[in-house]
Amino acid sequence: MHGNEVLGRELLLQLSEFLCEEYRRGSERVTRLLHDTRIHIMPSMNPDGYEVAANQGPDGIGYLTGRNNANGVDLNRNFPDLNTFMYYSGEISGPNHHIPLPDNWKSQVEPETLAVIQWIGSYNFVLSANLHGGAVVANYPYDKSQDQRFRSHRRTANTPTPDDKLFQKLAKTYSYAHGWMHRGWNCGDYFVDGITNGASWYSLSKGMQDFNYLYTNCFEITLELSCNKFPPKEDLERQWMANREALVAFIEEIHQGIKGMVTDENNNGIAGAVISVQGISHDVTSGEMGDYFRLLLPGTYTITASAEGYQPQTVTATVGPAAPSLVHFQLKQDVVKKASERKASGTHTNNKTLQKKHHKEECSTARTW
């Protein structure tokens, strides 16, 4: 995303090779992961910025050289600002899932941002991370403080999502599997457990991780991986060994919570069904085939599936610490609502017929006179 923060690019390329090699070698863990998980890897969102940074070399590079894209735009400040919509729509209780994009959003984003938004909208993504450099910490939403509009950008305020405990667990999974992130002291900063709420560190607008949470079903965190944004090649092997287990462990976190299908009475998948968890004011929706995934911590939950034209269904499910729990929903058509619509339609038709008849009678009377 930031062209001068290159370690993540190298790690993702190495991760791709590692997964293929381990699969070929017959690793039970990697084989299970690849068979059960659809993994998408994007090594670089900002290739133009990377070229600028790489041409400077690791010794002569400026701290911000290559950060922006070819148009001089910071791509992690370029996504539609859905946080502001949420905060202004009722403070923290405003809508915080699948917030619609503004009408003119395409004219306000860069080509790279547009491509990524279209990409993440084409799949029912569940979990993701975007990789950065300049610090060593796992950063989770929200990135933008609710109080930013009242305070200086230098002020910070912890701004948790409804899934705060889950995000902390995801961040800790990475930090404690990392070689030293969990120790807290890195790059002159200290973060307890090597994790931080984004807005508690510093508040930023139009970032990618908040956008994912507010617009899609995807839970994303930001991984700051090295003090040196453009580390020398001699350091790459050490960095890979520090991050290898953390990368794999993070991907495995997708297999927790609940998943299943939302279908109608004929077993046809229902797209766009809303999956709500009692006590957590953040919903997810089913994909085109009716499949859904909802990350949750271990516990017992009351879950409701609802869709336009169907009666909602509520079940209780227990989530364990290992594999996700299968929870399927079969929704019945809302007969009462359909009957009411038909009745209203019939009433409207009858009223029109009476009006037309009355109008004809008036005309006949007039002609008679």
Side-chain angles (χ1 to χ4, degrees):
M1 180 175 287
H2 292 146
N4 61 330
E5 299 170 10
V6 302
L7 180 60
R9 173 191 178 105
E10 298 301 319
L11 290 177
L12 292 180
L13 292 172
Q14 187 62 40
L15 174 65
S16 302
E17 183 176 341
F18 171 77
L19 293 175
C20 292
E21 289 179 346
E22 289 296 294
Y23 185 82
R24 188 184 297 116
R25 192 176 64 83
S27 164
E28 182 178 343
R29 182 188 187 189
V30 170
T31 298
R32 181 174 61 253
L33 181 64
L34 295 183
H35 283 183
D36 296 345
T37 316
R38 184 169 62 189
I39 302 173
H40 295 249
I41 296 176
M42 180 176 64
S44 179
M45 181 179 165
N46 184 5
D48 293 331
Y50 170 77
E51 291 298 325
V52 172
N55 288 336
Q56 296 293 314
D59 297 325
I61 191 171
Y63 191 73
L64 297 178
T65 302
R67 176 184 177 90
N68 299 338
N69 73 345
N71 293 328
V73 175
D74 184 337
L75 298 178
N76 204 33
R77 309 291 190 278
N78 189 236
F79 286 81
D81 183 6
L82 302 183
N83 298 72
T84 297
F85 178 88
M86 173 182 64
Y87 296 150
Y88 275 101
S89 295
E91 301 303 321
I92 205 68
S93 62
N96 60 24
H97 46 84
H98 303 93
I99 297 175
L101 299 179
D103 294 337
N104 61 342
W105 72 272
K106 289 185 179 180
S107 64
Q108 298 179 355
V109 300
E110 292 296 297
E112 298 92 337
T113 311
L114 174 61
V116 167
I117 291 175
Q118 292 175 334
W119 176 50
I120 63 180
S122 63
Y123 293 94
N124 194 11
F125 286 118
V126 180
L127 177 67
S128 65
N130 69 76
L131 279 54
H132 292 256
V136 179
V137 65
N139 170 18
Y140 55 90
Y142 291 119
D143 261 337
K144 182 174 182 178
S145 169
Q146 182 184 3
D147 299 326
Q148 189 179 37
R149 64 180 187 263
F150 301 119
R151 302 179 177 180
S152 164
H153 70 280
R154 297 181 182 276
R155 299 290 294 274
T156 62
N158 184 58
T159 309
T161 69
D163 288 284
D164 188 57
K165 291 182 179 179
L166 172 62
F167 272 118
Q168 288 189 43
K169 197 256 186 176
L170 294 172
K172 286 181 181 179
T173 295
Y174 199 95
S175 70
Y176 274 89
H178 186 277
W180 51 83
M181 184 183 289
H182 59 281
R183 298 174 188 169
W185 286 109
N186 292 291
C187 317
D189 294 318
Y190 178 72
F191 301 99
V192 178
D193 294 318
I195 70 172
T196 185
N197 172 264
S200 181
W201 185 14
Y202 64 91
S203 183
L204 68 87
S205 298
K206 303 182 180 181
M208 184 174 176
Q209 74 173 9
D210 284 8
F211 176 82
N212 265 287
Y213 186 70
L214 296 174
Y215 181 64
T216 76
N217 291 327
C218 191
F219 288 56
E220 179 168 295
I221 68 172
T222 300
L223 299 172
E224 300 280 353
L225 298 176
S226 63
C227 302
N228 189 341
K229 293 189 174 188
F230 204 119
K233 62 181 181 181
E234 294 80 15
D235 193 36
L236 291 181
E237 183 176 358
R238 182 179 75 96
Q239 293 287 353
W240 164 243
M241 296 307 297
N243 285 275
R244 184 182 67 184
E245 172 60 24
L247 288 165
V248 176
F250 181 77
I251 296 173
E252 290 174 330
E253 285 297 296
I254 194 173
H255 298 291
Q256 63 172 313
I258 58 173
K259 67 178 182 179
M261 297 290 298
V262 183
T263 60
D264 62 17
E265 294 173 280
N266 297 316
N267 292 319
N268 299 310
I270 301 176
V274 177
I275 310 300
S276 305
V277 181
Q278 184 176 316
I280 304 177
S281 58
H282 183 83
D283 301 337
V284 300
T285 55
S286 59
E288 293 182 0
M289 306 300 293
D291 56 312
Y292 80 91
F293 307 82
R294 212 308 179 181
L295 297 178
L296 290 169
L297 293 173
T300 300
Y301 298 90
T302 300
I303 305 152
T304 300
S306 58
E308 184 68 27
Y310 296 88
Q311 298 175 20
Q313 182 182 359
T314 300
V315 301
T316 299
T318 298
V319 175
S325 299
L326 280 174
V327 182
H328 300 304
F329 295 91
Q330 189 169 52
L331 305 186
K332 298 180 180 180
Q333 284 193 328
D334 195 341
V335 179
V336 174
K337 183 175 181 181
K338 286 186 173 295
S340 176
E341 289 175 349
R342 285 196 298 268
K343 183 177 180 181
S345 176
T347 301
H348 179 66
T349 303
N350 291 338
N351 286 341
K352 288 181 66 176
T353 303
L354 289 173
Q355 289 174 1
K356 188 180 294 184
K357 182 179 179 182
H358 183 60
H359 179 66
K360 286 182 177 178
E361 290 175 346
E362 285 182 334
C363 291
S364 298
T365 304
R367 285 197 296 272
T368 301
W369 280 104

